[in-house]
Amino acid sequence: MHRKALAVVALAALFCVLSGKSDAGEKKYTIGLALANLQSDFFNQVRRGAEEQAAKRGVDLIVVEARGDATTQVDQIQDLLAREIDALLITPAGATAAAVPIRACRAKGVPVVTVDRNPPDAPGDSFIAADSFGGCVELGKWVIEKTGGKGTIGVIQGQLGTTPEIDRRGGLMKALESAPEIKVVEQAADSWDQEDGFSVAQDLLQANPDITVFHGRCDALALGAAQAVRLAGLSGKILVVGFDGDEGGLVAVKEGVLDLTMTQQSQRFGRLGIDTCIDLIEGRKVPEMQLIPVTPTTKENVDEFIEKHP
């Protein structure tokens, strides 16, 4: 019996070698995860999800972050290609040079999955993102309900030309088609950071003292707007809404600093990104676009997202 058991184990090990599969039933691949930055909680949530799924599926994951600089990201992708990654999972750093690293991968036959931002002139093999358009339609409807369809919205735009900025603007403007008495004033920030949100909100308040709602295209920009509102002595008089549902945004909703955020399933983006990369490596068809629903989040339901971020 002992010899038979050893023979079974040996045959099983031989099968794993011949089939190219690990004990977990998955072939060992190396995937590069190139993040725009790790200063934003959103990108950290994507990283967590990707690391969790890579460990589960027996994948070697190499993580790099560009600190928001497109040139740095191009160099990082070249380095990842030199290390012979099997696929790339990327959140492009900005809009201007986002296509360059994707084209570099394509020239090497390396599949690419984009997350959150997708260059229109060089899209990834699959694009994973929140349904920003649909989410901002919901956000706009919430604003209409709370304001009775009247007032002035000060919009702090994210980086112009990026996928989330384009889609979130489109969704908000679609919702406001049914509220002609709501006026929209917009100004772009230089980044998606709270400091820029603060300075832009101050500019908008000075030029438009009739603002009744601030919408930051992400939670950090919305938090900057909330700071400007507080310093202007207008807390409680101006609604402030964001988008992302990152950790800081969720706490701000719970504390009443933000009135609403749209919570993305950002860890799910990372998990789905790893699975999609493996599907592409193994020659399976994947959807060109994978949009994930977002959830309107207020004080009434914020605790469930603080306890466990999706």
Side-chain angles (χ1 to χ4, degrees):
M1 291 291 292
H2 185 63
R3 288 180 179 176
K4 287 182 179 180
L6 287 173
V8 170
V9 171
L11 284 171
L14 179 61
F15 174 77
C16 286
V17 171
L18 292 176
S19 64
K21 297 212 172 183
S22 66
D23 292 339
E26 300 291 343
K27 187 175 177 182
K28 195 77 168 179
Y29 299 121
T30 299
I31 295 174
L33 172 59
L35 296 165
N37 67 70
L38 284 174
Q39 290 70 57
S40 163
D41 180 65
F42 168 76
F43 296 115
N44 273 294
Q45 297 286 354
V46 174
R47 175 185 57 81
R48 291 177 198 174
E51 288 177 341
E52 174 190 311
Q53 196 68 0
K56 181 178 178 181
R57 299 203 61 178
V59 167
D60 285 334
L61 187 67
I62 304 173
V63 182
V64 296
E65 65 111 355
R67 293 187 172 271
D69 183 71
T71 302
T72 297
Q73 189 168 69
V74 171
D75 292 340
Q76 289 174 336
I77 303 307
Q78 292 293 351
D79 180 64
L80 289 171
L81 289 172
R83 296 170 73 174
E84 299 186 339
I85 57 172
D86 296 294
L88 176 69
L89 181 60
I90 179 173
T91 60
T96 52
V100 176
I102 295 176
R103 288 181 180 137
C105 288
R106 201 146 283 153
K108 294 278 190 178
V110 174
V112 179
V113 177
T114 51
V115 175
D116 190 54
R117 304 167 184 176
N118 199 31
D121 51 344
D125 297 292
S126 185
F127 174 49
I128 298 169
D131 182 4
S132 285
F133 185 93
C136 270
V137 169
E138 289 191 75
L139 181 150
K141 289 179 178 178
W142 185 90
V143 167
I144 293 169
E145 179 185 346
K146 294 298 179 182
T147 61
K150 298 179 180 180
T152 299
I153 299 180
V155 176
I156 306 171
Q157 300 167 296
Q159 288 174 298
L160 298 180
T162 57
T163 309
E165 169 56 35
I166 292 168
D167 290 347
R168 290 173 195 180
R169 183 181 193 280
L172 178 65
M173 300 310 291
K174 179 66 177 177
L176 295 181
E177 287 176 1
S178 64
E181 293 186 70
I182 291 181
K183 181 175 74 172
V184 178
V185 293
E186 299 175 309
Q187 184 173 323
D190 292 330
S191 70
W192 298 85
D193 296 337
Q194 182 170 339
E195 184 176 340
D196 283 338
F198 172 69
S199 60
V200 171
Q202 284 191 314
D203 290 346
L204 285 170
L205 274 175
Q206 186 172 2
N208 306 275
D210 60 338
I211 284 176
T212 53
V213 181
F214 265 119
H215 167 44
R217 291 279 201 245
C218 71
D219 284 348
L221 294 175
L223 286 169
Q227 182 183 4
V229 167
R230 184 174 66 254
L231 287 179
L234 296 171
S235 297
K237 297 179 182 179
I238 297 178
L239 292 172
V240 184
V241 298
F243 197 112
D244 277 349
D246 61 28
E247 289 180 348
L250 293 172
V251 171
V253 169
K254 185 176 177 66
E255 294 177 349
V257 176
L258 297 184
D259 296 284
L260 171 84
T261 188
M262 304 299 295
T263 301
Q264 305 186 79
Q265 300 181 52
S266 41
Q267 289 193 30
R268 182 180 171 187
F269 297 166
R271 295 191 296 269
L272 181 58
I274 295 296
D275 289 340
T276 304
C277 281
I278 292 172
D279 284 342
L280 285 165
I281 293 167
E282 297 182 348
R284 287 187 286 274
K285 287 187 176 182
V286 300
E288 291 183 4
M289 184 176 293
Q290 302 184 69
L291 294 183
I292 311 300
V294 296
T295 305
T297 307
T298 62
K299 276 190 175 183
E300 284 68 35
N301 63 338
V302 69
D303 284 339
E304 65 181 275
F305 299 112
I306 290 176
E307 291 169 8
K308 183 173 175 56
H309 203 287

